């Protein structure tokens, strides 16, 4: 691999390495920092559990001008859902949890108020009519997963016609999955993940971070117009929108909330996972390899049977509140809305608000992660992840990496 250490300006550096043939990726990473309003970021690509690209650069904390280092951690917001789903699927793979059983089979209190027939699969695919909370919840209260689970168990499902099919919500699916892990395994989600996935696979990924990790945690900042894109949701008078997008607001008006000790440490399964791009890419590289290996071959993490089900399209629909077509596999991974030719044509994982991307590319066995600390409005203002992923697909195509049969 080519070792990189480049200082573009006094306050701007890039470090890491790329395997031969991935020069487009390196060039786009540099362009992000120079031309596309990047503050600090990392991009990593793994073939199975082996690194091909590992780049980092820029500033981890705009207030102190601390550099983004090799071991800098970044919160991935809704990218956390893909990590939470992976933990849940570990229980499915062991036979301890069945996606098609009612949630109440494992959590009896959940049956209250007409929810006795809602299945685990409906929860993880956002088709269970539980996108938000009815009881008012503050940012402080959202840090308590046990209390949030209690509130969800007591409330009724949505009856609004807009809840038909997929109705995405930023928080509730994560709290339900976390409580299911606790009910089935006996350990809270953060401890389960560390014991069952992070330590065995050597993954620098955390559900909430303790004080010992805070010196490594990048500080989140909002780019121009980032909050403005949510005005129609965060200030709506529509009761359904209020329950989903204002209770609490997933991106608080004050970006400093993300740097408070209680938020850094909080177990909020759907939005508060932090890690290095290297670790996320390694995890998704393992999943990409497991997804196409022979069914009778022992997996590194999840069986072919479980992953076939988890990434087979279960729901594809335009969310009637956010007006975006969404597709979810049967196990809760977010999918492309339509397959396409090329190495990235069947990706699965979950993106995160503000621009992050964490994906498995099973056709070529790659795990891919882009993380950053400046959140930019979705759309033409943010070309950072898109430029990297397009460059990666082009480099992979030119290299002719072996392609798995299409599933």
């Amino acid at each position: 691999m080519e070792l990189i250490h480049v200082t573009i300006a006094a306050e701007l550096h890039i470090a890491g390495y790329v395997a031969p043939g991935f020069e487009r990726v390196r060039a786009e990473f540099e362009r992000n920092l120079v031309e596309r309003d990047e503050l600090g970021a990392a991009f990593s690509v793994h073939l199975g559990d082996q690194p091909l690209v590992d780049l980092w650069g820029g500033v981890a904390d705009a207030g102190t001008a601390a550099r983004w280092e090799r071991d800098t951690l970044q919160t991935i917001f809704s990218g956390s859902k893909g990590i939470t789903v992976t933990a849940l699927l570990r229980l499915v793979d062991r036979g301890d949890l069945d996606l098609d059983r009612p949630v109440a089979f494992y959590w009896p209190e959940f049956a209250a108020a007409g929810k006795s027939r809602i299945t685990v699969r409906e929860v993880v695919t956002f088709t269970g009519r539980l996108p938000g909370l009815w009881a008012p919840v503050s940012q402080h209260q959202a840090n308590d997963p046990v209390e949030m689970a209690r509130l969800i168990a007591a409330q009724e499902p949505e009856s609004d016609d807009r809840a038909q099919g997929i109705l995405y919500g930023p928080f509730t699916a994560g709290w339900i999955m976390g409580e299911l892990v606790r009910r089935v395994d006996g350990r809270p989600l953060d401890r389960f993940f560390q014991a069952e996935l992070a330590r065995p696979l050597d993954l620098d990924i955390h559900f909430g971070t303790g004080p010992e990790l805070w010196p490594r945690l990048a500080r989140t900042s909002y780019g121009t117009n980032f909050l403005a894109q949510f005005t129609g949701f965060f200030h709506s008078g529509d009761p359904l929108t209020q329950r989903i997008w204002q209770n609490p607001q997933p991106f608080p008006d004050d970006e400093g909330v993300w740097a408070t000790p209680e938020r850094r440490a909080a177990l909020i399964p759907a939005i508060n996972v932090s890690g290095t791009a290297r670790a996320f890419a390694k995890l998704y590289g393992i999943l990409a390899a497991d997804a196409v290996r022979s069914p009778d071959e022992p997996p590194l993490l999840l069986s072919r049977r479980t992953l076939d089900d988890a990434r087979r399209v279960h729901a594809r629909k335009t969310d009637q509140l956010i007006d975006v077509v969404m597709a979810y596999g049967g196990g809760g991974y977010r999918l492309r809305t339509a397959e396409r030719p090329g190495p990235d044509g069947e990706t699965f994982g979950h993106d995160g608000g503000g621009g992050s991307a964490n994906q498995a590319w099973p056709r070529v066995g790659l795990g891919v992660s882009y993380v950053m600390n400046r959140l930019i409005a979705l759309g033409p203002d943010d070309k950072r992840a898109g430029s990297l992923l397009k460059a990666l697909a082009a480099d992979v195509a030119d290299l002719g990496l072996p392609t798995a049969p299409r599933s």
Side-chain angles (χ1 to χ4, degrees), residues 8-311:
I8 300 172
E11 71 284 358
L12 185 58
H13 80 293
I14 295 173
Y17 50 83
V18 296
F22 290 91
E23 289 76 20
R24 286 189 187 93
V25 171
R26 173 185 168 178
E28 291 301 327
F29 189 80
E30 183 172 322
R31 286 188 67 193
N32 281 353
L33 284 160
V34 175
E35 302 174 13
R36 298 180 179 131
D37 203 28
E38 192 77 275
L39 180 60
F43 186 65
S44 188
V45 180
H46 277 233
L47 179 61
D49 62 352
Q50 299 302 310
L52 295 177
V53 175
D54 195 18
L55 295 169
W56 62 91
V59 174
D61 187 325
T64 66
R67 281 186 169 188
W68 193 294
E69 303 289 356
R70 184 180 187 276
D71 65 348
T72 295
L73 304 170
Q74 173 60 43
T75 305
I76 58 171
F77 310 105
S78 281
S80 305
K81 293 174 174 69
I83 310 304
T84 300
V85 161
T86 303
L88 193 77
L89 290 174
R90 184 74 167 167
L91 292 176
V92 172
D93 216 38
R94 293 191 332 201
D96 295 334
L97 186 75
D98 185 337
L99 290 168
D100 292 313
R101 279 194 182 274
V103 173
F105 178 83
Y106 307 101
W107 176 7
E109 296 90 338
F110 185 88
K115 301 192 302 302
S116 62
R117 299 177 64 181
I118 295 174
T119 65
V120 179
R121 194 183 301 277
E122 287 175 317
V123 168
V124 303
T125 58
F126 299 94
T127 57
R129 293 179 170 269
L130 291 166
L133 289 164
W134 288 76
V137 170
S138 67
Q139 292 290 343
H140 171 73
Q141 290 170 313
N143 296 327
D144 183 349
V146 175
E147 175 61 12
M148 295 304 98
R150 186 190 69 79
L151 292 177
I152 293 169
Q155 76 178 39
E156 62 189 60
E158 291 289 349
S159 58
D160 192 300
D161 288 343
R162 290 171 292 175
Q164 290 281 358
I166 293 176
L167 188 60
Y168 179 85
F171 292 107
T172 49
W175 284 319
I176 296 169
M177 286 188 273
E179 184 65 11
L180 280 168
V181 170
R182 191 173 76 89
R183 296 277 176 151
V184 171
D185 179 78
R187 290 172 287 185
L189 175 60
D190 52 349
R191 287 174 47 201
F192 174 83
F193 183 84
Q194 287 300 313
E196 298 291 332
L197 286 87
R199 285 198 292 270
L201 298 174
D202 192 24
L203 301 173
D204 195 359
I205 298 174
H206 312 271
F207 280 86
T209 55
E212 73 282 359
L213 296 176
W214 294 346
R216 296 170 49 204
L217 186 62
R219 187 182 180 100
T220 293
S221 68
Y222 298 161
T224 304
N225 297 324
F226 174 70
L227 285 178
Q229 72 180 320
F230 298 110
T231 297
F233 306 111
F234 294 172
H235 301 284
S236 172
D238 172 54
L240 178 62
T241 303
Q242 290 175 335
R243 289 192 288 274
I244 300 172
W245 292 103
Q246 299 174 28
N247 192 32
Q249 190 171 301
F251 291 103
D253 291 336
D254 178 9
E255 65 187 31
V257 168
W258 298 104
T260 61
E262 68 169 357
R263 177 52 59 92
R264 286 178 165 184
L267 173 55
I268 310 178
I271 67 163
N272 205 35
V273 169
S274 301
T276 63
R278 184 180 314 106
F280 294 128
K282 181 178 180 180
L283 174 60
Y284 278 111
I286 291 169
L287 291 170
D290 281 347
V292 296
R293 71 176 71 250
S294 171
D296 57 0
E297 183 182 352
L300 287 175
L301 179 55
L302 295 177
S303 69
R304 174 67 181 271
R305 180 195 71 254
T306 295
L307 281 171
D308 280 353
D309 180 48
R311 66 192 191 95

